[in-house]
Amino acid sequence: MVHHSGSTWYIVLPIIHAMRILTTLLLAVSLVPLVNGQWSCANAQDVGIGNHAVSSLMTGDPPPLSCVSGWGEPTHAAWFRFTASADTAIQVSSFVQGNPSISTRLHVYAGTCGQLVCLAGDEYSGPGFTSQAWFTVTTGNSYYIVWDDLFGATGFHFSVTYFDPPDGVVVFVNTPVPGISNIYGAVDMNNDGMDDLVSPGATAATMAYQQADASYLIAALPHQQADNMASWSFAVGDWDSNGHRDLLYGGGSGATFLRANGTGTSFLEISFPQYIFSQRTNFVDLNNDGHLDAFVCHDVDANVAFLNDGAGNLSFNQGGYGETCGNYGSIFTDIDNDGDQDLFVAKCGCDPADLLMPNNGTGAFTNVAPSLGLNDGHQSWSSAWGDYDNDGDMDVLIGSSGSGVHKLMSNDGDGTFTDVTSGSGMDSNTGTSIEWTAHDFNNDGWIDILGGSGMHYNMGDMTFTHDDSAPYNGPIGDLNNDGFLDIAGSNTYSWNMGNDFGHIRFNLQGVQSNRDGIGARVTITSALGQQIRDIRSGDGFRYMSFIGAHFGLGTDDVVEQVHIRWPSGIEDVILNPAINTTHLIVEGISTSVNTSDETAISVVPNPANDLITVNGVAPNSAVKVLDVAGRLVLQTNLTGGRLDVSALSPGIHQLQLVGKATQEGLRFAKE
């Protein structure tokens, strides 16, 4: 498949990749004999369409470049070479009917020996922990299929087949990003409105800053030795509200915070002494005080919160967020539509019963999962929350990491849920994974599900169709600024080639609320109806995706209204925003206001520091400024159309013209 953009043609090269659980599922014994693959790139064994085998005597060169994220370094590999006789798509899979399902790891390269480039790779997505990937090939070019021994050298079979992508699916192209590996985040780190790639490190966090031409600029931001690495999960959020996002590493022994300096060029390492077997980490305002707190799932004990006092201090708190062990995948979203962030914990291990804990508005949480049929114990690891039926409340897919039994629950909007798994398409899908996330990948206006060996496309009626050619879960963001959500891998990203559907995206900046606007709900209205998104830090199990609200619009070319409900309770309404673009919305701000005589006025910059300019009025106009509570805090005359606001306290303010009997105040933010 080929995609044309401007004067450039791009060949579609998808990738599948996943994390590994060391388990083998044995099926029937094959009658196909096992043969040795050749043991280096230079003497790789030629293979064509059909079934092939790898012997247990794997002693060849290890892959020079990993095309998947893994748990360690292989020592040997088996090398095969496929030469294309036509422009087509090829699928490689170690799941071959009638043969044992052996735990494998696959790398696929283009290029020449010594200059290989990853095209695809996989560790987990096939049945029984087999590997599968598909990619497009060009006539006359050779491609290297490499199986490594990281998970054992047991003999196995694999197939090379032609692959025809299903109609209507989104196609992804594997795009290497030189200079970065071990990508855990896809989030804007330099405040330019474009998602960047983040790789946590021991003494520096590596950033791949997205550029306007979709290239990346690599920078290493130093910090002191991290006591804990992001071995289990990673979260991002500006918890000290200095305008630069901070990092949270969830490690096997504890949590480490990396606090960004005032220029966003380095980090201060902060680790806590308490033992935490960290799983999912999140940034969230737990107690609705306007300050961003942190949350860490504890595998072997009660969950942990780090509460923010607003003065630059975090305090360790344990208890009140799930008291037993086996906590794996936490996600915060407004489940009951009351404006605060509720908690769902997907469980595993010692106490596998999932938790649903509504927030009472002050940071107190009570488990109600048993009464709602959400206390499943099938080793879920993570959950995917989204409004799948576009009725204004959050539904959930509780996916399985091992049993292949998934549960789709529709939010009834009255505090109850209905099990709609049967006939949804999720009941017939047996693919498993530890990562489950919900986003609109094809921009049709309906939230899709990524996880369990592929993509599950939302048909708009609470049913889903499965596409096993999609990449495995990783950090999700718009990684080439084209309006479609991409999926990052270890040292690449899977470029969503998109379609003709439109989109709109909102990045938020809180003033009264936390600066990232985490916990805000964004609702858009178009001909499709209403769509909702909650702003989150941390979903799925391990990775950190973009902070913002992305909406697909299908064929709609107008968004009539955007409504933003901030954690503070402030509400903003924007009419007829431009589509196919990203909007930065500052809490409590409208761009202009009409006075009673229909003269439009506006204020810049907004948010402000010391001086603002008021446009649309006489340069010496008398003005007054009210605070968010409506109290008069300033009354004076403009000087040359400008107003000194340096003495105002940070927050939302309202500017009015003195002498206007009837007018709507123009809101602006003071930083």
Side-chain angles (χ1 to χ4, degrees):
M1 184 177 294
V2 176
H3 176 76
H4 180 250
S5 177
S7 61
T8 304
W9 291 88
Y10 302 96
I11 299 176
V12 177
L13 307 168
I15 180 175
I16 308 171
H17 90 100
M19 301 304 300
R20 174 66 53 180
I21 304 175
L22 296 177
T23 305
T24 299
L25 177 65
L26 296 180
L27 303 178
V29 177
S30 171
L31 299 178
V32 179
L34 298 179
V35 297
N36 286 331
Q38 299 297 311
W39 303 128
S40 70
C41 179
N43 65 350
Q45 179 176 314
D46 289 309
V47 294
I49 300 297
N51 292 340
H52 311 280
V54 178
S55 85
S56 59
L57 304 174
M58 193 182 290
T59 59
D61 294 342
L65 176 67
S66 179
C67 299
V68 290
S69 57
W71 296 79
E73 295 296 328
T75 58
H76 300 95
W79 289 75
F80 300 87
R81 180 173 56 228
F82 176 84
T83 301
S85 58
D87 295 346
T88 186
I90 296 295
Q91 179 169 288
V92 177
S93 175
S94 60
F95 176 73
V96 179
Q97 290 286 352
N99 294 275
S101 289
I102 304 296
S103 181
T104 56
R105 191 165 78 150
L106 169 66
H107 313 262
V108 180
Y109 304 102
T112 59
C113 297
Q115 294 184 316
L116 298 176
V117 177
C118 285
L119 295 186
D122 187 38
E123 292 180 354
Y124 175 79
S125 67
F129 308 111
T130 56
S131 309
Q132 57 187 11
W134 70 269
F135 51 96
T136 60
V137 298
T138 303
T139 303
N141 288 351
S142 293
Y143 303 87
Y144 294 89
I145 301 168
V146 182
W147 305 91
D148 72 36
D149 66 346
L150 184 61
F151 303 112
T154 303
F156 63 93
H157 300 84
F158 71 93
S159 63
V160 181
T161 58
Y162 294 114
F163 182 74
D164 184 17
D167 292 338
V169 306
V170 172
V171 177
F172 294 85
V173 54
N174 188 47
T175 306
V177 183
I180 191 171
S181 60
N182 197 38
I183 298 170
Y184 269 46
V187 60
D188 182 9
M189 293 298 298
N190 58 355
N191 296 318
D192 64 355
M194 295 185 291
D195 295 326
D196 308 307
L197 299 172
V198 187
S199 174
T203 58
T206 301
M207 307 293 167
Y209 293 118
Q210 186 181 164
Q211 307 297 292
D213 62 356
S215 65
Y216 283 86
L217 178 66
I218 308 298
L221 278 56
H223 55 78
Q224 301 94 333
Q225 179 75 38
D227 287 353
N228 304 284
M229 290 298 295
S231 53
W232 287 99
S233 69
F234 179 61
V236 176
D238 184 6
W239 68 265
D240 61 354
S241 298
N242 72 344
H244 301 282
R245 285 173 170 155
D246 313 299
L247 314 180
L248 171 55
Y249 295 178
S253 297
T256 288
F257 294 84
L258 296 175
R259 185 175 182 177
N261 67 358
T263 59
T265 55
S266 67
F267 295 97
L268 173 66
E269 192 267 358
I270 304 171
S271 293
F272 285 76
Q274 293 87 353
Y275 171 71
I276 312 172
F277 191 170
S278 305
Q279 302 294 324
R280 176 75 261 175
T281 50
N282 313 85
F283 281 107
V284 59
D285 185 356
L286 289 166
N287 51 12
N288 286 4
D289 64 353
H291 308 304
L292 203 59
D293 311 301
F295 182 88
V296 182
C297 276
H298 201 328
D299 191 350
V300 298
D301 206 341
N303 292 319
V304 171
F306 294 89
L307 298 181
N308 185 350
D309 67 359
N313 304 301
L314 298 172
S315 61
F316 177 92
N317 291 265
Q318 188 170 20
Y321 312 97
E323 307 307 308
T324 63
C325 52
N327 306 290
Y328 273 61
S330 52
I331 187 169
F332 289 87
T333 194
D334 187 0
I335 295 165
D336 50 12
N337 289 353
D338 65 352
D340 51 39
Q341 294 295 283
D342 309 305
L343 169 62
F344 184 85
V345 180
K347 302 287 279 302
C348 190
C350 64
D351 181 6
D354 298 335
L355 305 175
L356 176 62
M357 305 184 74
N359 188 336
N360 73 351
T362 63
F365 296 81
T366 303
N367 184 29
V368 298
S371 65
L372 298 177
L374 290 167
N375 60 328
D376 299 276
H378 59 268
Q379 310 293 320
S380 48
W381 281 60
S382 61
S383 60
W385 287 83
D387 186 5
Y388 297 122
D389 50 6
N390 284 353
D391 67 348
D393 47 44
M394 290 292 175
D395 314 301
V396 62
L397 184 283
I398 306 171
S400 170
S401 67
S403 69
V405 178
H406 316 300
K407 192 170 187 178
L408 181 65
M409 300 291 284
S410 175
N411 191 330
D412 297 328
D414 59 359
T416 64
F417 289 79
T418 298
D419 190 337
V420 294
T421 311
S422 179
S424 68
M426 300 307 301
D427 53 339
S428 60
N429 176 59
T430 58
T432 60
S433 63
I434 63 176
E435 298 278 354
W436 296 87
T437 53
H439 300 277
D440 186 358
F441 287 95
N442 59 4
N443 281 1
D444 66 350
W446 300 92
I447 294 177
D448 311 305
I449 299 170
L450 182 62
S453 305
M455 187 81 73
H456 312 274
Y457 288 101
N458 188 342
M459 305 306 294
D461 57 0
M462 289 299 269
T463 66
F464 295 81
T465 60
H466 177 69
D467 170 32
D468 63 6
S469 68
Y472 192 73
N473 252 311
I476 295 165
D478 186 354
L479 300 176
N480 53 12
N481 207 34
D482 66 351
F484 289 87
L485 294 177
D486 313 298
I487 308 166
S490 177
N491 55 7
T492 66
Y493 71 90
S494 296
W495 177 2
N496 184 338
M497 301 301 290
N499 49 39
D500 294 330
F501 290 159
H503 76 282
I504 194 168
R505 173 166 163 171
F506 299 92
N507 297 332
L508 306 189
Q509 180 177 319
V511 180
Q512 300 294 107
S513 305
N514 66 87
R515 187 174 176 89
D516 284 318
I518 292 168
R521 172 162 292 183
V522 183
T523 304
I524 70 167
T525 303
S526 71
L528 279 169
Q530 287 193 338
Q531 300 181 54
I532 64 172
R533 303 286 188 271
D534 284 355
I535 308 300
R536 302 168 180 154
S537 172
D539 61 358
F541 175 71
R542 182 180 300 269
Y543 303 108
M544 178 66 207
S545 297
F546 71 101
I547 300 176
H550 173 95
F551 298 89
L553 298 176
T555 59
D556 290 357
D557 56 7
V558 173
V559 172
E560 292 96 11
Q561 178 178 287
V562 181
H563 177 272
I564 302 171
R565 185 192 65 202
W566 298 83
S568 66
I570 292 174
E571 299 185 24
D572 282 310
V573 176
I574 299 117
L575 301 179
N576 300 310
I579 68 168
N580 296 326
T581 192
T582 297
H583 300 267
L584 174 63
I585 307 298
V586 179
E587 183 178 12
I589 291 176
S590 54
T591 58
S592 65
V593 62
N594 291 329
T595 63
S596 58
D597 60 0
E598 300 183 352
T599 300
I601 63 172
S602 63
V603 59
V604 292
N606 200 349
N609 287 311
D610 297 322
L611 291 170
I612 60 173
T613 299
V614 184
N615 299 309
V617 301
N620 62 343
S621 294
V623 297
K624 57 184 178 182
V625 178
L626 311 179
D627 66 12
V628 71
R631 296 182 293 257
L632 180 67
V633 294
L634 178 64
Q635 183 164 335
T636 185
N637 288 76
L638 301 179
T639 302
R642 307 181 79 187
L643 178 65
D644 185 350
V645 295
S646 59
L648 298 181
S649 300
I652 302 298
H653 295 80
Q654 188 181 96
L655 183 140
Q656 294 184 352
L657 298 178
V658 175
K660 296 291 185 181
T662 303
Q663 64 174 346
E664 184 181 353
L666 174 62
R667 289 182 290 180
F668 69 94
K670 169 66 168 55
E671 292 192 313

